[in-house]
Amino acid sequence: MNRLRKWLTPPAAALLGMATVMSVQAASRPGEERPASITRQRSNFNADWRFQIGDAPGAKEAGYDDRAWQPIGLPHSFGIPYFQASQFYTGYGWYRKRLTVPAAWRGRRIALEFEGAFQDAEIFVNGTPVGRHRGGYTGFSVDITSAVRTGENSIAVRVNNLWDPTLAPRAGEHVFQGGIYRDVWLVTTDPVHVAWYGTRVTTPALSERSGSVAIDTEVRNDSGKAVTVSLRTDIHDQTGKIVATMNDRRRRLEAGALATLSQSSGPIMAPALWSPETPILYKAVTTVLANGRSVDRYETPFGFRWFEWTADRGFFLNGKHRYLKGANVHQDQAGWGDAVSNRAMERDVQMMKDAGFDFIRGSHYPHDPHFAEATDQIGMLFWSEASFWGIGGFGPDGSWMSSAYPVDPRYKAGFEESVKQQLREMIRISRNHPSVIAWSVSNEPFFSAGEVMPEVRHFLKDLVALSHKLDPARPAAIGGAQRGEIDKLGDVAGYNGDGAALFPNPGIPNMVSEYGSTMLDRPGEFDPGWGDLPRTPGAAEGEGDYPWRLGWRSGEAVWAGFDHGSIVGRKFGSMGVVDYARLPKRSYYWYRQAYRGVAPPQWPVQGEPAALRLTSNSAVIERADGTDDVHVVVTVLDAQGRALSNSPPVTLSIESGPGELPTGRTIRFAPDSDIPIRDGQAAITMRSWQSGKSILRARSPGLKDAILTIETIGGPAFVPGVTPIAPDRPYTEAKRTDAEFMFAPDASFGKDNPTGASSSEQGHSSRLVNDGDPGTSWMAAKGDDAPWVSVSPEKILQFRKLEITFPQPGNYRFVAEVEDQNGQWVVVADQSATTETAQKRIIDVKRVVGSRLRMKIMAPAGAAAGVADIRIIGAM
């Protein structure tokens, strides 16, 4: 297993414009019959939709009256405005929009390209069903040519986010809000054209001295007759200079056929290599010729780079060793939920890079296509993950707290096809991105019922094989591989949490794909939160500040980069080094200082508030189409203009202009609310659908107002008094109990969850306390005079009972503690003086709300300190 694993790729998926219709002229070249207009046009289709929550019979019909529906733009989520609540609407939502088709489009192909809709989308044109897509995290294209007519047309989309036992994921601790939450594009082409994401670019025989380009292009002939097709592809460097040209011989393509045409270049000398430090992109520009006439032009950004994952020497990029330092990143943000803009994704990637990280794990599903474009352009290595996802403490089918893999045989075939479909779509969309260095097929799929774990392992092997078939140039990773004997089923193992301590030098390329899990609101502590990393076997003998970074390990990724929404509560979603509103916690500044040498800012202190300040990341929104926005920050100041930690309630309003907040035109920040102001700051993003100046004002009683002007420069003009403004979308505070929320009272938790211990005897690791087998046990190492073992339910629980099984009958005594929501250990059961000798004991415990259980063990005379099984009973 120590043999070198080398993965050569390129890459980047088609990046074909942002907000405007594109049309280009092809230059005449020898051998062409005549020049012609390149007919591919791609325009943003996000604006001017109407939305209705719930099912709406008849809404697919062209004549349906939707005037009472809510006017919205995309990206959009059912749950807007959303602020980390554990509950969310599940059901149906309808979207409708008008499309005017000019007579000039007669004879062209017309398609709608969706970047994502969660999670079951049905598309209708003029009442006719034209397509359906099941799976919420991958894009799809729908050809609507046969259903449209010249003039006005109605587009209707029915979306639901109902849990489905055959749809992946079946489980996960994110939130699963419905909607068309990513961009939609309108694409028109000649009947002979490059298919959706139809290019695959590789860079074989690559070195610092030279490289070549190979490109496979899928060409469709949707005309009614056979044509003679050929390709010409020019390779442009970062300055736009053509460095190679490939011509393809002519061939016959029958009507309705799809063909893959292959081209290869000669050597390109001294190609500029892509890396996080030098994110240099090239571009393949492919021209399709049909009967000698230029009919399509397709651009594919890509990069020259190679990498290696090794089992014994770590990770290498372009021949140089690199220890990956990264973060896990979810896609959602304050107010807008999952419906974030491309610009917001770019800011997320840039924030992680500014902290000194060079790696992002896309947890735990395929991300928006623009996310990988951002990692390419900004320079971050990217682990792209499929949506086979599990959650600890799962229960019976019916929600995203179910077994990751189906137990009921009726659902297995459909579920497996759902995962494979989304894996195929993820790889097709992102295969050309140079930043992508692994396809992960899972996250913690061992959170499946024990009786189906053999099937889980078999299925993971199938996914790995499918990944290799779709992209032989990248490894297939098993993410969340620390349980279930699954870590060696793929090419790279990603160990989460206590996996850092449980798998030293595992004999397979590996990294710690999650560490930390520090649950703190901003400002938090000036501390990295290393979690289990320092417990890596061998780290005690290591050198330097990071002794666990041993030669066999490729890297580590903190959980998490940003706070996120979670079905197990806001506290559990608040483990980021940056908060949900994208304001850094102090741990972020720790990393930035350690990795980049940038000193932290002066922390705000309590004082006498006098004024407010409004700032934004930009004074301009460049595109009024849902792809751009601005991040607005309000800060509390004293009379001298110094930032304070005082956090009074603040109201932010858009007084004039076209701006829109997730709550409409006004939002209120308050301490200890779902829309918080903390440590003297609050933030939200604003978008706009028309050009013009938006005037924002922040107010707080007794303080001087702050005013900010944001100008939108793209899009139709905003006309005061004529252009409708965003309607109010009031936010209802989430209902809570002392345990965050009551989701599954008296459910059992503990099996296969993260563990820890003061020490472990060989062959008796801490993971054995919750493997579901009372015949196996954790035992402390000889000489450990203060033994303890811990288990995390990976949720916020109100602890109620413990079921403890010891290795044998005897007078085992213990003190049980729970880590509460403030990070303090609270004694919930003191059995240090018990005379009980039963091997299995069930005890009531103090009802403390917390996240981790620790048991300090006192063994009977002559026996080793140990525990065979721990079962936690509580309410989330």
Side-chain angles (χ1 to χ4, degrees):
M1 294 297 292
N2 284 339
R3 66 183 178 84
L4 187 67
R5 296 177 183 235
K6 186 171 184 178
W7 306 96
L8 303 177
T9 4
L15 177 59
L16 299 175
M18 297 301 273
T20 58
V21 174
M22 298 186 304
S23 181
V24 227
Q25 293 292 320
S28 178
R29 293 211 178 190
E32 292 184 4
E33 292 182 1
R34 57 190 174 89
S37 294
I38 302 298
T39 59
R40 178 176 294 265
Q41 297 178 326
R42 189 173 193 258
S43 56
N44 183 281
F45 205 60
N46 285 346
D48 301 323
W49 289 81
R50 288 187 174 271
F51 170 72
Q52 174 67 41
I53 197 74
D55 213 352
K60 69 179 182 179
E61 303 300 337
Y64 185 86
D65 186 357
D66 59 17
R67 287 175 294 177
W69 289 18
Q70 182 183 359
I72 57 99
L74 306 180
H76 177 268
S77 168
F78 290 176
I80 293 174
Y82 173 76
F83 293 93
Q84 279 191 289
S86 55
Q87 306 97 330
F88 52 91
Y89 168 84
T90 56
Y92 286 88
W94 276 89
Y95 297 83
R96 286 177 53 87
K97 179 180 169 73
R98 302 292 188 266
L99 168 64
T100 300
V101 173
W105 286 7
R106 188 174 291 114
R108 296 167 67 157
R109 305 303 297 183
I110 305 170
L112 292 176
E113 293 183 358
F114 292 77
E115 293 184 348
F118 199 90
Q119 70 174 343
D120 185 349
E122 304 166 78
I123 299 88
F124 305 89
V125 175
N126 298 323
T128 300
V130 293
R132 184 178 183 182
H133 185 267
R134 287 163 45 83
Y137 297 111
T138 47
F140 55 98
S141 179
V142 179
D143 190 314
I144 64 173
T145 309
S146 62
V148 297
R149 54 182 177 245
T150 300
E152 185 174 277
N153 298 263
S154 77
I155 309 296
V157 185
R158 182 184 189 231
V159 183
N160 79 73
N161 65 330
L162 299 168
W163 183 85
D164 186 323
T166 65
L167 267 183
R170 290 169 43 92
E173 48 70 63
H174 196 224
V175 285
F176 302 93
Q177 298 194 31
I180 309 177
Y181 71 103
R182 293 178 181 171
D183 299 326
V184 178
W185 302 89
L186 175 67
V187 179
T188 67
T189 64
D190 187 87
V192 181
H193 59 275
V194 177
W196 176 76
Y197 287 105
T199 56
R200 179 177 183 269
V201 182
T202 56
T203 54
L206 177 60
S207 69
E208 292 184 352
R209 297 181 59 186
S210 71
S212 59
V213 176
I215 180 167
D216 296 326
T217 304
E218 294 180 9
V219 179
R220 297 189 65 92
N221 178 13
D222 287 328
S223 72
K225 57 185 178 181
V227 295
T228 300
V229 299
S230 61
L231 300 181
R232 184 187 68 249
T233 299
D234 295 324
I235 305 300
H236 297 250
D237 69 11
Q238 65 272 27
T239 70
K241 177 184 175 183
I242 296 176
V243 295
T245 295
M246 297 173 277
N247 288 292
D248 183 62
R249 63 180 177 81
R250 299 186 178 196
R251 66 194 67 196
R252 182 181 175 87
L253 187 60
E254 299 296 333
L258 172 69
T260 300
L261 309 182
S262 299
Q263 299 171 285
S264 297
S265 77
I268 298 171
M269 304 311 295
L273 298 181
W274 186 96
S275 74
E277 293 72 33
T278 58
I280 297 170
L281 295 175
Y282 285 68
K283 184 168 57 179
V285 180
T286 299
T287 300
V288 180
L289 306 173
N291 296 331
R293 179 176 178 268
S294 303
V295 294
D296 197 10
R297 183 179 188 271
Y298 196 85
E299 297 184 1
T300 309
F302 70 97
F304 288 97
R305 61 93 180 90
W306 75 94
F307 60 86
E308 303 166 325
W309 292 87
T310 76
D312 55 347
R313 296 180 295 114
F315 180 81
F316 293 78
L317 179 67
N318 298 329
K320 298 177 181 177
H321 182 264
R322 174 185 289 266
Y323 189 88
L324 302 172
K325 301 185 293 293
N328 286 262
V329 172
H330 270 301
Q331 64 189 7
D332 55 318
Q333 299 191 11
W336 302 101
D338 290 340
V340 297
S341 73
N342 289 351
R343 186 75 76 191
M345 296 175 215
E346 293 167 10
R347 289 195 300 269
D348 277 1
V349 174
Q350 190 66 57
M351 283 192 79
M352 294 297 98
K353 183 162 188 173
D354 288 347
F357 298 123
D358 62 2
F359 172 86
I360 287 175
R361 180 188 182 207
S363 51
H364 294 295
Y365 39 76
H367 281 221
D368 187 289
H370 190 71
F371 195 90
E373 292 166 6
T375 54
D376 281 353
Q377 294 160 7
I378 293 169
M380 290 286 279
L381 296 161
F382 185 38
W383 166 300
S384 186
E385 196 150 81
S387 51
F388 183 19
W389 189 4
I391 186 170
F394 60 85
D397 281 1
S399 74
W400 286 279
M401 299 283 293
S402 304
S403 171
Y405 185 89
V407 177
D408 191 322
R410 293 175 298 170
Y411 305 138
K412 293 178 181 180
F415 174 75
E416 289 194 359
E417 177 51 36
S418 173
V419 177
K420 289 179 179 180
Q421 169 203 313
Q422 293 181 67
L423 179 63
R424 285 191 293 265
E425 290 166 341
M426 176 180 76
I427 292 176
R428 183 178 182 88
I429 291 167
S430 297
R431 59 189 171 181
N432 295 317
H433 290 285
S435 55
V436 176
I437 56 172
W439 304 119
S440 174
V441 302
S442 67
N443 178 64
E444 298 182 346
F446 55 80
F447 283 127
S448 296
E451 63 265 33
V452 298
M453 276 306 298
E455 292 171 89
V456 169
R457 287 186 280 269
H458 185 271
F459 183 45
L460 288 171
K461 292 179 183 178
D462 285 350
L463 293 176
V464 169
L466 177 60
S467 178
H468 290 165
K469 179 180 178 181
L470 297 169
D471 184 5
R474 286 184 181 88
I478 306 293
Q482 67 275 13
R483 301 284 192 279
E485 299 179 357
I486 61 175
D487 58 319
K488 295 183 180 179
L489 301 180
D491 307 305
V492 179
Y495 298 114
N496 295 349
D498 61 343
L502 296 174
F503 293 87
N505 200 6
I508 186 172
N510 69 93
M511 69 176 297
V512 177
S513 43
E514 294 178 19
Y515 73 87
S517 302
T518 301
M519 195 181 304
L520 289 174
D521 287 329
R522 188 173 54 83
E525 301 295 332
F526 189 67
D527 182 89
W530 292 125
D532 290 288
L533 283 172
R535 296 198 301 115
T536 299
E541 292 77 39
E543 298 180 359
D545 295 330
Y546 316 106
W548 56 84
R549 294 178 181 173
L550 302 168
W552 46 266
R553 178 174 282 168
S554 291
E556 63 205 29
V558 67
W559 185 267
F562 302 93
D563 289 356
H564 61 90
S566 172
I567 62 173
V568 291
R570 187 186 65 78
K571 285 285 187 180
F572 194 80
S574 298
M575 298 184 189
V577 297
V578 178
D579 78 4
Y580 198 47
R582 272 36 186 184
L583 294 173
K585 302 179 187 179
R586 293 185 182 178
S587 54
Y588 175 89
Y589 294 114
W590 187 96
Y591 282 105
R592 194 177 67 166
Q593 176 174 273
Y595 290 171
R596 295 190 57 227
V598 179
Q602 183 175 353
W603 308 133
V605 296
Q606 285 282 309
E608 185 66 33
L612 300 174
R613 180 174 66 206
L614 275 178
T615 56
S616 63
N617 68 290
S618 173
V620 171
I621 296 177
E622 296 178 357
R623 302 178 300 276
D625 63 4
T627 65
D628 197 5
D629 62 12
V630 293
H631 186 241
V632 179
V633 179
V634 58
T635 305
V636 180
L637 307 175
D638 66 10
Q640 288 72 46
R642 292 175 296 203
L644 298 179
S645 60
N646 301 59
S647 299
V650 172
T651 299
L652 175 66
S653 300
I654 301 171
E655 294 195 325
S656 63
E660 178 178 341
L661 303 170
T663 49
R665 301 281 282 189
T666 299
I667 190 168
R668 185 176 186 272
F669 307 102
D672 301 318
S673 79
D674 284 1
I675 311 176
I677 178 169
R678 295 191 183 106
D679 205 33
Q681 280 196 324
I684 199 68
T685 56
M686 184 190 85
R687 58 185 62 165
S688 175
W689 295 99
Q690 298 86 29
S691 62
K693 292 184 179 180
S694 297
I695 309 298
L696 290 80
R697 182 184 296 270
R699 298 182 177 90
S700 185
L703 306 185
K704 183 179 179 181
D705 293 356
I707 298 175
L708 179 67
T709 299
I710 303 293
E711 183 171 9
T712 305
I713 60 176
F718 177 81
V719 181
V722 177
T723 304
I725 61 174
D728 287 337
R729 291 187 287 266
Y731 176 73
T732 302
E733 195 83 4
K735 183 180 179 181
R736 299 164 185 266
T737 70
D738 61 352
E740 186 76 21
F741 70 101
M742 300 296 287
F743 185 82
D746 295 324
S748 65
F749 302 93
K751 185 178 183 298
D752 269 345
N753 284 60
T755 59
S758 55
S759 66
S760 297
E761 188 65 40
Q762 185 174 2
H764 293 275
S765 74
S766 61
R767 63 183 296 193
L768 299 178
V769 301
N770 68 342
D771 63 350
D773 182 357
T776 63
S777 61
W778 161 78
M779 289 188 180
K782 294 179 176 63
D784 186 344
D785 56 4
W788 58 264
V789 65
S790 69
V791 61
S792 170
E794 295 194 292
K795 298 173 181 62
I796 305 296
L797 293 184
Q798 184 189 68
F799 285 71
R800 294 183 172 181
K801 290 179 182 290
L802 295 179
E803 293 185 7
I804 312 298
T805 303
F806 292 101
Q808 59 193 18
N811 182 219
Y812 289 89
R813 293 162 292 137
F814 63 89
V815 174
E817 302 171 306
V818 167
E819 186 178 27
D820 70 13
Q821 295 183 87
N822 297 313
Q824 304 298 312
W825 288 98
V826 178
V827 174
V828 295
D830 188 342
Q831 299 283 309
S832 58
T834 186
T835 58
E836 178 69 59
T837 59
Q839 184 177 6
K840 181 177 181 179
R841 305 179 202 170
I842 301 175
I843 60 170
D844 293 321
V845 299
K846 182 179 179 181
R847 294 195 172 191
V848 170
V849 176
S851 59
R852 188 160 48 134
L853 172 76
R854 182 171 67 187
M855 292 184 58
K856 298 177 179 178
I857 306 296
M858 292 147 273
V867 175
D869 199 45
I870 297 175
R871 185 169 182 259
I872 300 169
I873 300 172
M876 282 198 296

